Amino acid sequence: MANNTVIESTSLRRSPAEHLADLMTQASVSNAVALQEISFATQVGVRAIPGSDGFAALENALGLQLPAQVGQVTGSVQGTAVLWLGPDEFLAIAPEGTALTGALTEALGQNPGQILDLSSNRSVLELSGPAAPLVLRKSCPADLHPRAFGVNQAITTTLANIPVLLWRTGEQSWYVLPRASFTEHTVHWLIDAMTEFSSEPVA
């Protein structure tokens, strides 16, 4: 007798840092610094020429202006946000399950540009707490002073010698986005950098 059981594809998904969740929880220090993965965030690569019809159509579909300069982020971490990557290149980030790719593809239509689902391309790690900037400064060359790097700004930089997107999502919170293949390296480096603030060593 044939087995007609259908397995939902979402039940088979594994996020890049899922196997490190317990280590991240163990390394987190109350009132100092915490590390966790934001699993399965929707990420969409967007390319369009500023001032073009396609650019305007994408802004209309997003309900947001696309960023206009280095470091700028429009929108918010609670909903949809768009990070500036280049003069005509952006990364839209939204919570899991947000139907961005289809909506933006339809909005762009036949206009020059590109919409690409990048949800599996990068992991999203959240580092938070008053000591978060001290952890990042151990290996990130960017100027993280609040006057230079304000809330809701994002840049391409390096951390632990690998390229990452670094987005300051709040006064004491940061998203670190490495390529998925570098997730384990990034998590272990951050955990090691966090041990200074823990009274007990992390296994």
Side-chain angles (χ1 to χ4, degrees), residues 15 36-41 123-126 175:
S15 64
Q36 66 174 339
E37 182 184 22
I38 307 299
S39 304
F40 309 120
S123 59
V124 182
L125 306 171
E126 182 181 48
Y175 275 10

Side-chain angles (χ1 to χ4, degrees), residues 13-79:
R13 293 187 303 176
R14 296 293 181 268
S15 64
E18 180 177 317
H19 64 297
L20 302 169
D22 289 344
L23 282 178
M24 289 189 284
T25 299
Q26 182 183 354
S28 298
V29 183
S30 179
N31 300 320
V33 64
L35 178 64
Q36 66 174 339
E37 182 184 22
I38 307 299
S39 304
F40 309 120
T42 298
Q43 301 179 62
V44 180
V46 177
R47 301 203 70 162
I49 301 170
S52 68
D53 290 343
F55 191 92
L58 291 172
E59 288 187 321
N60 185 61
L62 286 163
L64 298 169
Q65 289 187 328
L66 292 172
Q69 59 187 11
V70 176
Q72 187 176 6
V73 177
T74 57
S76 72
V77 69
Q78 290 80 20

Side-chain angles (χ1 to χ4, degrees), residues 22-186:
D22 289 344
L23 282 178
M24 289 189 284
T25 299
Q26 182 183 354
S28 298
V29 183
S30 179
N31 300 320
V33 64
L35 178 64
Q36 66 174 339
E37 182 184 22
I38 307 299
S39 304
F40 309 120
T42 298
Q43 301 179 62
V44 180
V46 177
R47 301 203 70 162
I49 301 170
S52 68
D53 290 343
F55 191 92
L58 291 172
E59 288 187 321
N60 185 61
L62 286 163
L64 298 169
Q65 289 187 328
L66 292 172
Q69 59 187 11
V70 176
Q72 187 176 6
V73 177
T74 57
S76 72
V77 69
Q78 290 80 20
T80 298
V82 184
L83 285 58
W84 189 96
L85 300 182
D88 66 348
E89 184 176 6
F90 315 91
L91 180 67
I93 301 180
E96 177 186 1
T98 306
L100 271 184
T101 305
L104 294 179
T105 299
E106 183 178 354
L108 184 63
Q110 298 301 311
N111 292 298
Q114 183 182 60
I115 304 298
L116 185 63
D117 187 346
L118 297 176
S119 300
S120 299
N121 184 252
R122 295 179 184 272
S123 59
V124 182
L125 306 171
E126 182 181 48
L127 188 70
S128 60
L134 300 178
V135 172
L136 293 172
R137 284 176 184 147
K138 293 183 179 184
S139 183
C140 179
D143 184 353
L144 303 181
H145 191 281
R147 292 181 181 175
F149 203 142
V151 174
N152 220 26
Q153 288 188 303
I155 61 169
T156 300
T157 183
T158 60
L159 182 72
N161 297 317
I162 64 164
V164 298
L165 288 175
L166 184 63
W167 174 16
R168 188 177 183 188
T169 57
E171 290 291 345
Q172 296 184 348
S173 60
W174 305 74
Y175 275 10
V176 181
L177 289 83
R179 301 289 183 185
S181 58
F182 287 113
T183 300
E184 188 159 355
H185 170 81
T186 306

